């Protein structure tokens, strides 16, 4: 068995983290805010407008898988399409299940890595506005202490009021 295909898949998954960072920071918190702002507010039901990004980002994966499997584009297209789909599955598991608990899996982060990325994503969500957020990655995140310091340096602009218990 050749390792080229699995290597393409792993490289694609890693590359998708960079793509996701750029898309999150400059598209979702830029001209695509009209869809993404629903994700920074309380979700009244099961779905939010931001969920359309999953459909949008699935498109290239579907096209590449179809091209690689059915249209003769080559195995590379199948592996890249599978890598994009794998990243999407990882993102769904981390973001929608673990962080936002859209499906209750009763998961409690215990490792240092998981605690760090969950806390970083929660710090991203303390800002309700288009600008002023921190931590745009999903699988890699700066230290929470650094993110808190950055929010403070910015004067906590856009940070939602804390809700007392």
């Amino acid at each position: 068995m050749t390792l080229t295909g699995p290597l393409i898949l792993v490289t694609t998954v890693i590359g998708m983290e960079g793509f996701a960072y750029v898309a999150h920071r400059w598209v979702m918190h830029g001209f695509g805010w009209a869809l993404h702002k629903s994700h920074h507010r309380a979700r009244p039901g099961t779905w939010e407008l931001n969920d359309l990004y999953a459909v949008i980002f699935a498109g290239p994966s579907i096209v590449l898988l179809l091209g690689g499997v059915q249209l003769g584009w080559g195995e590379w297209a199948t592996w890249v399409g599978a890598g994009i789909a794998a990243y999407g599955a990882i993102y769904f598991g981390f973001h929608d299940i673990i962080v936002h608990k859209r499906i209750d899996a009763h998961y409690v982060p215990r490792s240092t890595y998981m605690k760090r990325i969950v806390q970083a994503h929660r710090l991203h969500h303390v800002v309700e506005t288009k600008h002023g957020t921190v931590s745009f990655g999903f699988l890699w995140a700066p230290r929470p202490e650094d993110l808190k310091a950055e929010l403070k340096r910015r004067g906590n602009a856009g940070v939602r009021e804390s809700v007392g218990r």
Side-chain angles (χ1 to χ4, degrees), residues 25 29 33 40 123-136 147 150-159:
R25 183 163 189 171
H29 283 265
W33 180 249
H40 283 261
L123 285 167
H124 173 81
H125 277 275
V126 301
V127 178
E128 293 182 302
T129 59
K130 179 178 180 177
H131 302 291
T133 45
V134 294
S135 189
F136 294 92
L147 298 173
E150 180 61 21
L151 287 169
K152 186 175 181 180
R153 187 187 70 73
R154 296 177 184 177
N156 290 324
V159 173

Side-chain angles (χ1 to χ4, degrees), residues 11-22:
T11 302
T12 301
V13 170
I14 293 167
M16 283 301 297
E17 177 67 0
F19 173 83
Y21 179 94
V22 168

Side-chain angles (χ1 to χ4, degrees), residues 4-96:
T4 304
L7 185 60
I8 292 172
L9 184 135
V10 169
T11 302
T12 301
V13 170
I14 293 167
M16 283 301 297
E17 177 67 0
F19 173 83
Y21 179 94
V22 168
H24 191 190
R25 183 163 189 171
W26 288 291
V27 175
M28 294 176 184
H29 283 265
F31 65 86
W33 180 249
L35 295 179
H36 189 61
K37 70 181 171 184
S38 66
H39 189 58
H40 283 261
R41 312 257 186 312
R43 186 177 55 254
T46 304
W47 303 99
E48 57 192 43
L49 209 49
N50 183 70
D51 293 334
L52 289 174
Y53 278 117
V55 176
I56 293 166
F57 295 143
S61 176
I62 293 166
V63 168
L64 286 162
L65 286 166
L66 177 67
V69 173
Q70 294 291 322
L71 303 178
W73 294 0
E75 286 188 22
W76 71 269
T78 305
W79 288 105
V80 171
I84 295 170
Y87 185 85
I90 293 165
Y91 169 86
F92 177 76
F94 161 69
H95 183 263
D96 291 329

